[in-house]
Amino acid sequence: MEKTEYDKIVFDSRNKYNYLSNEKKDYDLIVIGMGVSGYSCAMYASRLGLNVLIIGEQPGGMLSLTGKVENYPGFVSIEGSSLTQLLENHMMDYDLDIEYDIVNKIEKKDKNFFVYLDDKTFKSKSVVLATGSKLKKLNVKGENEFFGKGVAYCALCDAAFIKDKIVAVIGGGDSAIKEAILILEYAKKVYIVNNENEIHPEHQNLKLLNQKIKEKRIEVINNNELIEIKGNDFVEEIILKNEYKNSKKINLDGVFVYIGNSPNSELVKDLNVKLNKKNEIIIDEYSKTNISGFFASGDVTNFKFKQAITSVSQGVSAAYSAYEYIKKL
């Protein structure tokens, strides 16, 4: 598959760096997660003089798959991929190690943490978990069957495949509305299916939405649920729980799912880190968990406001907390 311009920029930029030597190294801090929170944490920790390793499987995290970002201070409007690239490039100006891989397990033995990959193990005095969250699935009939055949979870990734077609966006939060507006750059029409009484977009996105509704390019269906996705080789129709315009069936070509996120907190199950009912890691205002030397930041935590700017702030807070913890050691 041919690289896009963005892929080329990322590839060329990363190839300038020698990420890890073959020598076994002990670290002051290992940051797990390469979203904006992980990037800011690694950058600040390195500025503070800590020996840092950052590990992640998706450079830029979920924000890199987002379209326009218009609520990050300093940028009136910027693509999510461009913003995360700028943050990554800034981080790479510092003396730290980078490992593009998946972490399988974290253990604490005495005062040290051990981070296990498939074929490598790293030792550190402290850890910051900044693994973010993943999009929830509907868990309805046909969702798995038609994944990649009309069912998608990323408008930026897949919107080009529904050019001049009719699709549904499932969800009523700001992310769903934002993605519906992005999809309209490609699609002919979008249905928004929301299981609540009303949708909940930010003010700016509500203005754009109302404009598209007037143009009859977006149709909002509140108090309803998608219960089945049907088709042959590709998505052809959805089935709703309640009738809409005298039918439970809507003929369309694609389904984009935005019903919220769930935290990527599975790695803490063996550490006895405290979680809330949503499986978010419980932290204090300094990004500390109940485990000494283990910190968390960003969307994986119980912090209420899930925004890029707050994730960056938490990453910085976690870096300073790790620095103070290591000084005391």
Side-chain angles (χ1 to χ4, degrees):
M1 184 175 176
E2 188 177 351
K3 285 187 174 71
T4 65
E5 283 304 307
Y6 171 66
D7 292 329
K8 290 174 184 175
I9 292 169
V10 173
F11 181 80
D12 292 342
S13 173
R14 290 173 188 148
N15 270 345
K16 294 176 184 176
Y17 295 84
N18 178 20
Y19 303 129
L20 287 176
S21 65
N22 292 324
E23 300 174 8
K24 291 184 178 179
K25 295 180 72 172
D26 291 348
Y27 292 93
D28 294 320
L29 172 64
I30 293 178
V31 180
I32 302 172
M34 284 191 182
V36 296
S37 195
Y39 283 164
S40 60
C41 180
M43 179 180 72
Y44 266 80
S46 184
R47 281 179 62 86
L48 291 167
L50 300 185
N51 186 12
V52 180
L53 166 66
I54 182 170
I55 307 172
E57 57 185 294
Q58 182 181 320
M62 286 184 64
L63 189 65
S64 66
L65 304 176
T66 301
K68 286 185 175 64
V69 176
E70 297 178 331
N71 58 359
Y72 193 93
F75 299 94
V76 174
S77 180
I78 185 171
E79 294 294 320
S81 58
S82 300
L83 178 57
T84 55
Q85 183 64 62
L86 288 169
L87 289 168
E88 183 184 41
N89 289 345
H90 193 172
M91 177 193 71
M92 283 180 166
D93 276 340
Y94 293 90
D95 184 18
L96 50 79
D97 286 337
I98 304 171
E99 180 80 1
Y100 295 103
D101 209 335
I102 297 172
V103 173
N104 296 321
K105 187 177 180 180
I106 308 169
E107 280 186 337
K108 187 176 185 183
K109 299 177 182 176
D110 296 324
K111 291 186 177 181
N112 291 305
F113 292 90
F114 293 84
V115 176
Y116 299 93
L117 284 57
D118 280 342
D119 56 354
K120 297 176 184 176
T121 301
F122 298 107
K123 180 182 175 184
S124 178
K125 298 183 182 76
S126 63
V127 168
V128 171
L129 195 74
T131 44
S133 61
K134 53 182 173 288
L135 290 168
K136 290 180 181 177
K137 298 181 72 173
L138 290 166
N139 295 318
V140 299
K141 188 175 180 181
E143 181 177 15
N144 292 332
E145 179 186 351
F146 290 104
F147 174 65
K149 299 176 181 178
V151 172
Y153 304 87
C154 172
L156 187 66
C157 310
D158 298 302
F161 299 107
I162 44 87
K163 186 172 176 60
D164 297 325
K165 295 182 179 179
I166 299 172
V167 302
V169 169
I170 314 302
D174 186 63
S175 294
I177 306 308
K178 187 177 176 181
E179 297 306 293
I181 293 167
L182 172 61
I183 288 168
L184 272 184
E185 294 181 15
Y186 305 88
K188 180 166 60 178
K189 182 173 182 175
V190 175
Y191 290 95
I192 297 174
V193 181
N194 174 35
N195 65 358
E196 297 184 1
N197 293 329
E198 57 183 20
I199 53 177
H200 304 283
E202 288 183 356
H203 175 70
Q204 190 65 27
N205 289 330
L206 179 60
K207 289 171 63 178
L208 290 170
L209 175 69
N210 287 334
Q211 178 185 331
K212 299 302 179 184
I213 291 173
K214 286 181 182 178
E215 296 170 1
K216 296 186 177 180
R217 296 192 62 205
I218 285 183
E219 204 164 324
V220 179
I221 306 172
N222 288 321
N223 291 314
N224 216 325
E225 295 177 36
L226 185 155
I227 60 172
E228 186 177 357
I229 301 167
K230 301 178 76 173
N232 289 308
D233 294 331
F234 294 90
V235 171
E236 295 178 3
E237 64 183 33
I238 59 172
I239 308 299
L240 301 177
K241 183 177 181 180
N242 307 312
E243 283 193 359
Y244 178 70
K245 293 184 176 178
N246 301 318
S247 177
K248 292 185 177 182
K249 181 175 76 172
I250 298 178
N251 296 321
L252 42 67
D253 308 288
V255 177
F256 289 79
V257 181
Y258 292 94
I259 56 170
N261 298 346
S262 56
N264 292 316
S265 57
E266 296 84 359
L267 284 171
V268 304
K269 64 182 180 182
D270 297 323
L271 289 171
N272 294 317
V273 172
K274 287 184 179 178
L275 305 174
N276 64 13
K277 291 180 180 179
K278 296 179 182 178
N279 286 323
E280 296 168 328
I281 297 173
I282 298 172
I283 60 168
D284 65 10
E285 64 269 36
Y286 305 109
S287 295
K288 297 177 182 178
T289 71
N290 61 302
I291 302 297
S292 183
F294 190 87
F295 310 90
S297 64
D299 286 2
V300 75
T301 73
N302 64 328
F303 189 74
K304 180 179 179 180
F305 305 109
K306 311 292 188 186
Q307 299 289 325
I309 189 63
T310 56
S311 291
V312 167
S313 172
Q314 284 183 313
V316 174
S317 178
Y320 274 101
S321 291
Y323 171 71
E324 291 178 345
Y325 170 77
I326 289 165
K327 274 204 310 183
K328 290 177 182 176
L329 289 181

